[in-house]
Amino acid sequence: TDPVQHLSRGHPEALHALTAAVEARDPYTHGHSARVAEVSAQIGLRVGMEPGALRRLCQGASLHDIGKIGVPDQVLNKPGSLMPDEWTLIRAHPVVGSDMAGKVPSLRGSLAVIRHHHERWDGSGYPDRMAGEDIPLPARIAAVADVWDALTSDRAYRPAWPPDKALAHIAAASGTLFDPLCVEAFVDLVAERSLWPERTTFDPEALLAAAERCHPRRRAGAEARSARA
């Protein structure tokens, strides 16, 4: 009777294999793909997606990080902040992942989420600088679910955020980083768990870092000092 379990039972074997390969390389994201898929599916239900679209959303959310298979271990598991060239490698993962999945016929329905889950409502995302409703709806949904799970999970450099703090930041980014429709559906979802967003101003650096790799960014001054050294 659980719609998410029903969707996941239909996943092709290639999906499970690729998801397991990503999580085996990064112990701090164990279970992340499954949780993002679950939250994405629940948001999709609330915005009225039909069953076939829900299945494609669930598959894409499960595979959204498979491009990180192509990121070197020393970058993927680096405990400190990333250098600019390392960020370039991380930011390539949506394109790498969509290219990989595109070669498997049973996974082609997942491509919109894999390639576009880092696009942002205001056009500040990547890789294609899409904005607003030009971003595929499944990718807009997965973007919210991805950041939520990243913020509320422990990472190498920081403990998990309290759920109310994470929710407040996501709600405050509605209409800037995230589709307002998706945020509204997500707030409805977590309200069922007795969580409500507080009034706050959002921290875009924290939200973007959470979605990308959960590494702190190097500041310009630090980069300059590193270059001089």
Side-chain angles (χ1 to χ4, degrees), residues 75 78 82-91:
V75 175
K78 186 175 181 179
L82 297 176
M83 299 293 289
D85 59 332
E86 294 169 331
W87 273 110
T88 298
L89 290 172
I90 291 292
R91 282 174 171 257

Short mmCIF file of all heavy atoms in Angstrom, two decimals, residues 75 78 82-91:
data_model
loop_
_atom_site.label_atom_id
_atom_site.label_comp_id
_atom_site.label_asym_id
_atom_site.label_seq_id
_atom_site.Cartn_x
_atom_site.Cartn_y
_atom_site.Cartn_z
N VAL A 75 39.02 13.72 -4.18
CA VAL A 75 38.13 14.88 -4.22
C VAL A 75 36.80 14.54 -3.55
O VAL A 75 36.30 15.29 -2.70
CB VAL A 75 37.90 15.35 -5.67
CG1 VAL A 75 36.87 16.48 -5.71
CG2 VAL A 75 39.21 15.78 -6.29
N LYS A 78 37.29 14.24 0.25
CA LYS A 78 38.16 15.23 0.89
C LYS A 78 37.48 15.81 2.12
O LYS A 78 36.36 16.32 2.04
CB LYS A 78 38.49 16.34 -0.11
CG LYS A 78 39.51 17.35 0.41
CD LYS A 78 39.88 18.35 -0.68
CE LYS A 78 40.92 19.34 -0.18
NZ LYS A 78 41.29 20.31 -1.25
N LEU A 82 37.16 22.53 -0.78
CA LEU A 82 37.62 22.16 -2.11
C LEU A 82 38.24 23.35 -2.84
O LEU A 82 37.78 24.48 -2.72
CB LEU A 82 36.45 21.64 -2.94
CG LEU A 82 35.79 20.36 -2.44
CD1 LEU A 82 34.59 20.02 -3.32
CD2 LEU A 82 36.77 19.20 -2.40
N MET A 83 39.29 23.06 -3.60
CA MET A 83 39.90 24.06 -4.45
C MET A 83 39.03 24.29 -5.70
O MET A 83 38.18 23.45 -6.03
CB MET A 83 41.31 23.60 -4.88
CG MET A 83 42.26 23.40 -3.72
SD MET A 83 42.67 24.97 -2.90
CE MET A 83 43.69 25.72 -4.17
N PRO A 84 39.24 25.40 -6.42
CA PRO A 84 38.40 25.67 -7.60
C PRO A 84 38.39 24.55 -8.63
O PRO A 84 37.33 24.23 -9.20
CB PRO A 84 39.00 26.96 -8.16
CG PRO A 84 39.59 27.65 -6.97
CD PRO A 84 40.11 26.55 -6.10
N ASP A 85 39.54 23.93 -8.91
CA ASP A 85 39.56 22.87 -9.90
C ASP A 85 38.81 21.63 -9.40
O ASP A 85 38.22 20.88 -10.19
CB ASP A 85 41.00 22.51 -10.29
CG ASP A 85 41.83 22.05 -9.10
OD1 ASP A 85 41.55 22.47 -7.97
OD2 ASP A 85 42.78 21.26 -9.32
N GLU A 86 38.79 21.43 -8.08
CA GLU A 86 38.04 20.31 -7.51
C GLU A 86 36.54 20.57 -7.58
O GLU A 86 35.76 19.65 -7.84
CB GLU A 86 38.49 20.08 -6.07
CG GLU A 86 39.94 19.60 -5.98
CD GLU A 86 40.48 19.61 -4.57
OE1 GLU A 86 40.03 20.43 -3.74
OE2 GLU A 86 41.38 18.79 -4.29
N TRP A 87 36.14 21.83 -7.40
CA TRP A 87 34.73 22.17 -7.58
C TRP A 87 34.30 21.92 -9.01
O TRP A 87 33.16 21.52 -9.28
CB TRP A 87 34.49 23.64 -7.20
CG TRP A 87 34.21 23.84 -5.75
CD1 TRP A 87 35.00 24.44 -4.82
CD2 TRP A 87 33.03 23.40 -5.04
NE1 TRP A 87 34.40 24.40 -3.59
CE2 TRP A 87 33.19 23.78 -3.70
CE3 TRP A 87 31.87 22.74 -5.43
CZ2 TRP A 87 32.23 23.51 -2.73
CZ3 TRP A 87 30.90 22.47 -4.46
CH2 TRP A 87 31.10 22.86 -3.14
N THR A 88 35.20 22.17 -9.96
CA THR A 88 34.87 21.93 -11.37
C THR A 88 34.54 20.46 -11.60
O THR A 88 33.60 20.12 -12.31
CB THR A 88 36.04 22.36 -12.28
OG1 THR A 88 36.26 23.77 -12.12
CG2 THR A 88 35.74 22.06 -13.74
N LEU A 89 35.31 19.57 -10.97
CA LEU A 89 35.05 18.14 -11.08
C LEU A 89 33.70 17.78 -10.47
O LEU A 89 32.93 17.00 -11.05
CB LEU A 89 36.17 17.35 -10.40
CG LEU A 89 37.53 17.37 -11.08
CD1 LEU A 89 38.57 16.70 -10.19
CD2 LEU A 89 37.46 16.66 -12.44
N ILE A 90 33.41 18.33 -9.29
CA ILE A 90 32.14 18.05 -8.64
C ILE A 90 30.98 18.53 -9.49
O ILE A 90 29.97 17.84 -9.68
CB ILE A 90 32.10 18.71 -7.24
CG1 ILE A 90 33.08 18.01 -6.27
CG2 ILE A 90 30.68 18.69 -6.68
CD1 ILE A 90 32.70 16.60 -5.90
N ARG A 91 31.12 19.74 -10.04
CA ARG A 91 30.02 20.33 -10.80
C ARG A 91 29.79 19.62 -12.14
O ARG A 91 28.76 19.86 -12.78
CB ARG A 91 30.30 21.82 -11.04
CG ARG A 91 30.03 22.68 -9.81
CD ARG A 91 30.45 24.11 -10.03
NE ARG A 91 30.00 24.96 -8.95
CZ ARG A 91 28.95 25.79 -9.01
NH1 ARG A 91 28.26 25.88 -10.13
NH2 ARG A 91 28.60 26.53 -7.97
#
